Amino acid sequence: MFRTRMTQMFGIEHPIMMAGMNWITEPKLVSAVCNAGGLGILAIARCTPQETRENIRQIRQMTDKPFGVNQILVGPGAKENIAVAIEEKVPIINYSLGKPWFVNDVHAYGGKVVGTIAIAKHAAKAVQMGCDALVVTGHEAAAHGAAATSMVLIPLVASLVRVPLIAAGGFYDGRGLAAALALGADGISMGSRFMVVKESMVHENFKKLCMEATEQDTLYANVFDGMDGRVLKTKEAQAMMKRGFPMVDAFKGALLIKRLMNLSLAKFAGISIEMLRAEEGHPLMVLARQAVGNMKHLKALNEGDVEGGILFAGQCCGGITDNPTTRELIDRVISEAEATLAKMNTQKV
Ligand SMILES: Cc1cc2nc3c(=O)[nH]c(=O)nc-3n(C[C@H](O)[C@H](O)[C@H](O)COP(=O)(O)O)c2cc1C
């Protein structure tokens, strides 16, 4: 058993969080993580406000444990989804990209705000803005890690701020948990590892690809969704690295997002104009690439299309070799971490 500032702050049994993963961290998986003693996070960036509310209520039917939502703050629907999460008094609101305007509203009902950062100097800013804890994401991570690896970033951030830290990027087993604690974190967040569990909706073809991948089998570039990010090395991901701007796909992808998010033409046009003027990181071209990325992600997740699909995935896929239940995974990570620390103690004597 590990008692850390993370388990204390969130009222959970184990210092293990499941990273919010758009499309993947659905109520069934979120509640499985919570019921196994971890912190499950529902990613809501893909949801309409109504879906956000329904998903939150579904989780509450499946678990009475604390859980969180994750929202990317610089895309369509962010304000509306956060407002729903606040109305529903979700215990933990985790955000990535952008600035949290809602900290006081969350604190007012006793909730916690967890910022996600990938650059050390952003940690102090996030704490200044009122974050209660931080997810610190290294380069190894699936999706949007920045240039520094977890090994470098976590101790740097631990020296800079006093709030609890959750280490993300490259963690998949108990040795990683023990290492994260040694580096100054209070627990870990795992994304890729939780894609390959029985309760995950990821198509079996892609679970198999993750299990077969080595640590070399990912690609890191800005062509997948407009921001620097890491995906599994599939045929389509390799082709995207060579192509120019995908104009036709961008148009198709934008229409898909408009439909999935139930946006009126006026709202869609308004968001596009807002994006064109955006100051930080999300101009229209990024949004267009994001739309293409989403389309290809859905091909991977739902259809298992290993030719045309892409999937965000981290270097730690090299260490993922099985498809356990969520509870088996969490129990195993904890017992491995305990054994690792015990072994380190023995070696010292
Ligand atoms: C398929 C997929 C979708 C993701 N979607 C989101 C998201 O919506 N919001 C977010 O903050 N991070 C997202 N991430 C990144 C994860 O939250 C996390 O930072 C990453 O998986 C950690 O690295 P690891 O895969 O090495 O554990 C996503 C990751 C994956 C694999």
Side-chain angles (χ1 to χ4, degrees):
M1 290 288 274
F2 291 90
R3 285 276 158 269
T4 72
R5 295 187 300 171
M6 176 183 175
T7 59
Q8 281 163 357
M9 177 175 279
F10 302 133
I12 53 176
E13 197 180 340
H14 303 305
I16 296 176
M17 169 174 143
M18 174 177 68
M21 292 179 279
N22 218 6
W23 310 106
I24 296 172
T25 54
E26 297 291 278
K28 181 176 160 199
L29 182 54
V30 173
S31 55
V33 171
C34 297
N35 287 331
L39 178 62
I41 303 284
L42 170 79
I44 54 176
R46 66 138 196 107
C47 294
T48 62
Q50 194 189 339
E51 285 167 341
T52 297
R53 198 181 302 280
E54 282 165 9
N55 284 335
I56 291 168
R57 292 186 178 178
Q58 265 183 44
I59 292 170
R60 285 201 160 118
Q61 279 168 8
M62 291 189 266
T63 185
D64 56 4
K65 304 272 196 294
F67 66 98
V69 294
N70 167 280
Q71 172 72 50
I72 300 170
L73 296 186
V74 288
K79 285 205 170 70
E80 294 84 349
N81 277 343
I82 292 284
V84 169
I86 290 170
E87 277 167 30
E88 294 289 323
K89 297 188 170 45
V90 171
I92 294 130
I93 311 260
N94 168 225
Y95 71 86
S96 54
L97 307 171
K99 295 188 185 112
W101 61 86
F102 44 81
V103 171
N104 291 341
D105 298 333
V106 177
H107 287 166
Y109 64 79
K112 301 287 180 202
V113 177
V114 180
T116 304
I117 58 121
I119 295 176
K121 72 175 179 193
H122 293 170
K125 277 193 200 152
V127 173
Q128 264 170 22
M129 288 187 286
C131 284
D132 301 286
L134 297 177
V135 172
V136 181
T137 311
H139 181 67
E140 306 90 325
H144 307 121
T149 57
S150 294
M151 184 77 175
V152 170
L153 193 62
I154 295 158
L156 277 179
V157 175
S159 305
L160 280 177
V161 296
R162 301 227 169 277
V163 298
L165 301 181
I166 305 165
F171 298 97
Y172 66 97
D173 69 359
R175 293 168 299 179
L177 171 57
L181 298 176
L183 291 172
D186 302 275
I188 54 171
S189 166
M190 300 192 290
S192 304
R193 179 60 268 197
F194 277 114
M195 290 201 291
V196 192
V197 290
K198 291 266 171 4
E199 294 86 346
S200 153
M201 56 70 74
V202 173
H203 195 284
E204 293 304 315
N205 291 355
F206 271 84
K207 284 189 178 174
K208 187 164 174 280
L209 276 191
C210 289
M211 288 190 275
E212 286 169 357
T214 73
E215 84 290 353
Q216 303 291 323
D217 291 331
T218 63
L219 298 169
Y220 182 79
N222 68 2
V223 296
F224 307 117
D225 72 348
M227 295 176 279
D228 286 330
R230 187 178 302 285
V231 301
L232 207 56
K233 196 192 273 180
T234 56
K235 208 169 167 182
E236 179 58 20
Q238 285 171 297
M240 284 173 89
M241 300 277 285
K242 293 183 194 137
R243 273 187 215 128
F245 186 80
M247 198 55 89
V248 175
D249 274 354
F251 185 67
K252 282 192 210 156
L255 289 181
L256 177 76
I257 297 299
K258 179 184 169 300
R259 182 167 57 78
L260 290 177
M261 301 206 67
N262 204 13
L263 302 172
S264 68
L265 202 59
K267 177 96 182 153
F268 186 68
I271 289 169
S272 306
I273 292 166
E274 204 180 296
M275 292 299 150
L276 265 178
R277 293 191 190 130
E279 279 173 21
E280 50 173 59
H282 253 59
L284 195 58
M285 287 304 178
V286 174
L287 204 69
R289 279 209 189 262
Q290 227 171 54
V292 177
N294 271 321
M295 222 167 44
K296 293 179 194 282
H297 255 102
L298 290 175
K299 269 182 184 293
L301 295 172
N302 295 332
E303 297 165 33
D305 182 349
V306 290
E307 297 288 316
I310 63 164
L311 182 64
F312 283 132
Q315 291 179 339
C316 70
C317 281
I320 298 173
T321 53
D322 63 353
N323 183 33
T325 67
T326 299
R327 185 176 286 281
E328 281 164 357
L329 173 65
I330 290 181
D331 287 349
R332 182 169 78 199
V333 171
I334 294 298
S335 56
E336 279 172 359
E338 285 167 347
T340 303
L341 292 174
K343 193 170 149 204
M344 283 158 68
N345 270 332
T346 318
Q347 282 171 348
K348 265 193 226 153
V349 178

Short mmCIF file of all heavy atoms in Angstrom, two decimals, residues 136-173:
data_model
loop_
_atom_site.label_atom_id
_atom_site.label_comp_id
_atom_site.label_asym_id
_atom_site.label_seq_id
_atom_site.Cartn_x
_atom_site.Cartn_y
_atom_site.Cartn_z
N VAL A 136 2.51 15.80 -14.91
CA VAL A 136 3.75 16.24 -15.56
C VAL A 136 4.08 15.22 -16.66
O VAL A 136 4.38 14.06 -16.37
CB VAL A 136 4.89 16.29 -14.52
CG1 VAL A 136 6.18 16.77 -15.17
CG2 VAL A 136 4.51 17.20 -13.36
N THR A 137 3.99 15.67 -17.91
CA THR A 137 4.06 14.73 -19.03
C THR A 137 5.38 14.79 -19.77
O THR A 137 5.75 15.84 -20.32
CB THR A 137 2.93 15.05 -20.04
OG1 THR A 137 1.70 15.19 -19.33
CG2 THR A 137 2.79 13.95 -21.07
N GLY A 138 6.08 13.68 -19.82
CA GLY A 138 7.38 13.60 -20.50
C GLY A 138 7.25 13.25 -21.98
O GLY A 138 6.18 12.87 -22.47
N HIS A 139 8.36 13.39 -22.67
CA HIS A 139 8.44 13.19 -24.13
C HIS A 139 8.01 11.78 -24.57
O HIS A 139 7.53 11.59 -25.69
CB HIS A 139 9.90 13.45 -24.54
CG HIS A 139 10.18 13.31 -25.99
ND1 HIS A 139 9.67 14.18 -26.94
CD2 HIS A 139 10.92 12.40 -26.68
CE1 HIS A 139 10.09 13.81 -28.14
NE2 HIS A 139 10.85 12.75 -28.01
N GLU A 140 8.19 10.80 -23.68
CA GLU A 140 7.89 9.42 -24.04
C GLU A 140 6.41 9.17 -24.29
O GLU A 140 5.99 8.17 -24.87
CB GLU A 140 8.28 8.45 -22.91
CG GLU A 140 9.70 8.52 -22.40
CD GLU A 140 9.87 9.51 -21.25
OE1 GLU A 140 9.19 10.56 -21.25
OE2 GLU A 140 10.70 9.24 -20.38
N ALA A 141 5.60 10.10 -23.79
CA ALA A 141 4.15 9.90 -23.72
C ALA A 141 3.48 9.73 -25.07
O ALA A 141 3.96 10.23 -26.08
CB ALA A 141 3.51 11.09 -23.01
N ALA A 142 2.34 9.06 -25.03
CA ALA A 142 1.42 9.09 -26.17
C ALA A 142 0.92 10.52 -26.31
O ALA A 142 0.81 11.24 -25.33
CB ALA A 142 0.23 8.19 -25.87
N ALA A 143 0.64 10.93 -27.52
CA ALA A 143 0.09 12.26 -27.81
C ALA A 143 1.09 13.37 -27.47
O ALA A 143 2.23 13.31 -27.91
CB ALA A 143 -1.27 12.46 -27.15
N HIS A 144 0.71 14.34 -26.58
CA HIS A 144 1.42 15.62 -26.60
C HIS A 144 2.44 15.85 -25.50
O HIS A 144 2.32 16.80 -24.72
CB HIS A 144 0.39 16.74 -26.63
CG HIS A 144 -0.59 16.58 -27.73
ND1 HIS A 144 -1.95 16.47 -27.53
CD2 HIS A 144 -0.42 16.44 -29.06
CE1 HIS A 144 -2.56 16.29 -28.68
NE2 HIS A 144 -1.65 16.27 -29.62
N GLY A 145 3.45 15.01 -25.43
CA GLY A 145 4.60 15.35 -24.59
C GLY A 145 5.41 16.42 -25.33
O GLY A 145 5.24 16.61 -26.53
N ALA A 146 6.28 17.16 -24.60
CA ALA A 146 7.15 18.14 -25.29
C ALA A 146 8.56 17.54 -25.40
O ALA A 146 8.69 16.32 -25.49
CB ALA A 146 7.13 19.46 -24.52
N ALA A 147 9.59 18.38 -25.36
CA ALA A 147 10.93 17.89 -25.68
C ALA A 147 11.61 17.11 -24.55
O ALA A 147 12.42 16.23 -24.79
CB ALA A 147 11.82 19.06 -26.10
N ALA A 148 11.27 17.44 -23.28
CA ALA A 148 12.00 16.81 -22.17
C ALA A 148 11.37 15.47 -21.76
O ALA A 148 10.14 15.34 -21.71
CB ALA A 148 12.01 17.76 -20.97
N THR A 149 12.23 14.52 -21.44
CA THR A 149 11.74 13.19 -21.03
C THR A 149 11.31 13.23 -19.56
O THR A 149 11.69 14.12 -18.80
CB THR A 149 12.87 12.15 -21.16
OG1 THR A 149 13.96 12.59 -20.37
CG2 THR A 149 13.31 11.99 -22.60
N SER A 150 10.53 12.22 -19.16
CA SER A 150 10.05 12.13 -17.77
C SER A 150 11.21 12.16 -16.78
O SER A 150 11.13 12.80 -15.72
CB SER A 150 9.24 10.85 -17.58
OG SER A 150 8.07 10.90 -18.35
N MET A 151 12.28 11.48 -17.13
CA MET A 151 13.46 11.37 -16.25
C MET A 151 14.00 12.75 -15.87
O MET A 151 14.46 12.97 -14.75
CB MET A 151 14.54 10.57 -17.00
CG MET A 151 15.75 10.30 -16.21
SD MET A 151 15.38 8.96 -15.07
CE MET A 151 16.99 8.73 -14.37
N VAL A 152 13.96 13.67 -16.82
CA VAL A 152 14.49 15.03 -16.60
C VAL A 152 13.41 15.94 -16.01
O VAL A 152 13.65 16.70 -15.07
CB VAL A 152 15.01 15.60 -17.95
CG1 VAL A 152 15.34 17.08 -17.82
CG2 VAL A 152 16.23 14.81 -18.41
N LEU A 153 12.21 15.83 -16.58
CA LEU A 153 11.15 16.80 -16.25
C LEU A 153 10.61 16.65 -14.82
O LEU A 153 10.38 17.66 -14.13
CB LEU A 153 10.01 16.60 -17.26
CG LEU A 153 8.94 17.67 -17.31
CD1 LEU A 153 9.54 19.01 -17.72
CD2 LEU A 153 7.84 17.28 -18.29
N ILE A 154 10.42 15.42 -14.36
CA ILE A 154 9.75 15.23 -13.07
C ILE A 154 10.57 15.82 -11.90
O ILE A 154 10.04 16.62 -11.12
CB ILE A 154 9.40 13.75 -12.84
CG1 ILE A 154 8.38 13.32 -13.90
CG2 ILE A 154 8.83 13.51 -11.45
CD1 ILE A 154 8.33 11.85 -14.14
N PRO A 155 11.85 15.47 -11.77
CA PRO A 155 12.60 16.08 -10.66
C PRO A 155 12.71 17.60 -10.78
O PRO A 155 12.68 18.30 -9.76
CB PRO A 155 13.98 15.42 -10.73
CG PRO A 155 14.04 14.68 -11.99
CD PRO A 155 12.66 14.47 -12.49
N LEU A 156 12.81 18.11 -12.02
CA LEU A 156 12.88 19.57 -12.19
C LEU A 156 11.62 20.23 -11.65
O LEU A 156 11.67 21.19 -10.89
CB LEU A 156 12.99 19.92 -13.68
CG LEU A 156 14.37 19.85 -14.30
CD1 LEU A 156 14.31 20.18 -15.78
CD2 LEU A 156 15.29 20.83 -13.60
N VAL A 157 10.46 19.67 -12.03
CA VAL A 157 9.19 20.26 -11.58
C VAL A 157 9.03 20.05 -10.08
O VAL A 157 8.55 20.95 -9.37
CB VAL A 157 8.00 19.66 -12.37
CG1 VAL A 157 6.68 20.19 -11.84
CG2 VAL A 157 8.13 20.00 -13.85
N ALA A 158 9.48 18.90 -9.57
CA ALA A 158 9.37 18.64 -8.12
C ALA A 158 10.18 19.67 -7.32
O ALA A 158 9.83 20.00 -6.19
CB ALA A 158 9.85 17.22 -7.81
N SER A 159 11.25 20.19 -7.92
CA SER A 159 12.04 21.22 -7.23
C SER A 159 11.40 22.59 -7.33
O SER A 159 11.74 23.49 -6.58
CB SER A 159 13.45 21.32 -7.83
OG SER A 159 14.06 20.08 -7.82
N LEU A 160 10.52 22.76 -8.31
CA LEU A 160 9.95 24.09 -8.57
C LEU A 160 8.65 24.37 -7.80
O LEU A 160 8.38 25.51 -7.46
CB LEU A 160 9.61 24.21 -10.07
CG LEU A 160 10.72 24.53 -11.03
CD1 LEU A 160 10.18 24.54 -12.46
CD2 LEU A 160 11.32 25.89 -10.72
N VAL A 161 7.82 23.35 -7.62
CA VAL A 161 6.49 23.59 -7.01
C VAL A 161 6.24 22.62 -5.85
O VAL A 161 6.88 21.57 -5.76
CB VAL A 161 5.35 23.43 -8.07
CG1 VAL A 161 5.47 24.48 -9.15
CG2 VAL A 161 5.32 22.04 -8.66
N ARG A 162 5.25 22.99 -5.02
CA ARG A 162 5.00 22.18 -3.81
C ARG A 162 3.75 21.30 -3.91
O ARG A 162 3.49 20.50 -3.03
CB ARG A 162 4.82 23.10 -2.60
CG ARG A 162 6.00 24.00 -2.31
CD ARG A 162 6.38 23.97 -0.83
NE ARG A 162 7.65 24.63 -0.60
CZ ARG A 162 8.83 24.05 -0.75
NH1 ARG A 162 8.91 22.79 -1.10
NH2 ARG A 162 9.95 24.71 -0.54
N VAL A 163 2.95 21.49 -4.96
CA VAL A 163 1.70 20.71 -5.05
C VAL A 163 2.01 19.26 -5.44
O VAL A 163 3.08 18.98 -6.00
CB VAL A 163 0.73 21.33 -6.10
CG1 VAL A 163 0.33 22.74 -5.72
CG2 VAL A 163 1.34 21.28 -7.50
N PRO A 164 1.09 18.32 -5.16
CA PRO A 164 1.29 16.93 -5.58
C PRO A 164 1.48 16.81 -7.09
O PRO A 164 0.81 17.50 -7.85
CB PRO A 164 0.00 16.23 -5.14
CG PRO A 164 -0.54 17.07 -4.04
CD PRO A 164 -0.14 18.48 -4.36
N LEU A 165 2.40 15.92 -7.47
CA LEU A 165 2.70 15.72 -8.90
C LEU A 165 2.35 14.31 -9.33
O LEU A 165 2.63 13.34 -8.60
CB LEU A 165 4.19 15.95 -9.17
CG LEU A 165 4.76 17.33 -8.81
CD1 LEU A 165 6.25 17.38 -9.17
CD2 LEU A 165 3.99 18.44 -9.51
N ILE A 166 1.76 14.21 -10.49
CA ILE A 166 1.43 12.90 -11.07
C ILE A 166 2.27 12.76 -12.33
O ILE A 166 2.14 13.56 -13.27
CB ILE A 166 -0.08 12.83 -11.40
CG1 ILE A 166 -0.90 13.15 -10.14
CG2 ILE A 166 -0.43 11.46 -11.96
CD1 ILE A 166 -2.37 13.46 -10.42
N ALA A 167 3.16 11.77 -12.32
CA ALA A 167 4.11 11.61 -13.43
C ALA A 167 3.43 10.87 -14.58
O ALA A 167 2.81 9.82 -14.38
CB ALA A 167 5.32 10.82 -12.95
N ALA A 168 3.57 11.42 -15.80
CA ALA A 168 2.96 10.78 -16.98
C ALA A 168 3.98 10.69 -18.10
O ALA A 168 4.85 11.55 -18.22
CB ALA A 168 1.75 11.59 -17.45
N GLY A 169 3.84 9.65 -18.92
CA GLY A 169 4.74 9.50 -20.06
C GLY A 169 5.73 8.41 -19.80
O GLY A 169 6.73 8.61 -19.11
N GLY A 170 5.42 7.21 -20.31
CA GLY A 170 6.37 6.10 -20.22
C GLY A 170 6.11 5.15 -19.07
O GLY A 170 6.87 4.20 -18.88
N PHE A 171 5.04 5.34 -18.29
CA PHE A 171 4.80 4.49 -17.12
C PHE A 171 3.83 3.36 -17.48
O PHE A 171 2.76 3.61 -18.03
CB PHE A 171 4.28 5.32 -15.95
CG PHE A 171 5.30 6.36 -15.53
CD1 PHE A 171 5.20 7.66 -15.99
CD2 PHE A 171 6.39 5.99 -14.77
CE1 PHE A 171 6.18 8.60 -15.67
CE2 PHE A 171 7.38 6.92 -14.44
CZ PHE A 171 7.27 8.23 -14.89
N TYR A 172 4.24 2.13 -17.17
CA TYR A 172 3.38 0.99 -17.51
C TYR A 172 3.49 -0.15 -16.51
O TYR A 172 2.76 -1.14 -16.62
CB TYR A 172 3.70 0.47 -18.92
CG TYR A 172 5.09 -0.15 -19.04
CD1 TYR A 172 5.28 -1.52 -18.95
CD2 TYR A 172 6.21 0.66 -19.26
CE1 TYR A 172 6.54 -2.09 -19.05
CE2 TYR A 172 7.48 0.12 -19.36
CZ TYR A 172 7.63 -1.26 -19.26
OH TYR A 172 8.89 -1.80 -19.36
N ASP A 173 4.39 -0.03 -15.52
CA ASP A 173 4.51 -1.13 -14.55
C ASP A 173 4.96 -0.60 -13.18
O ASP A 173 5.11 0.62 -13.00
CB ASP A 173 5.45 -2.23 -15.08
CG ASP A 173 6.92 -1.79 -15.14
OD1 ASP A 173 7.21 -0.62 -14.78
OD2 ASP A 173 7.75 -2.61 -15.53
#
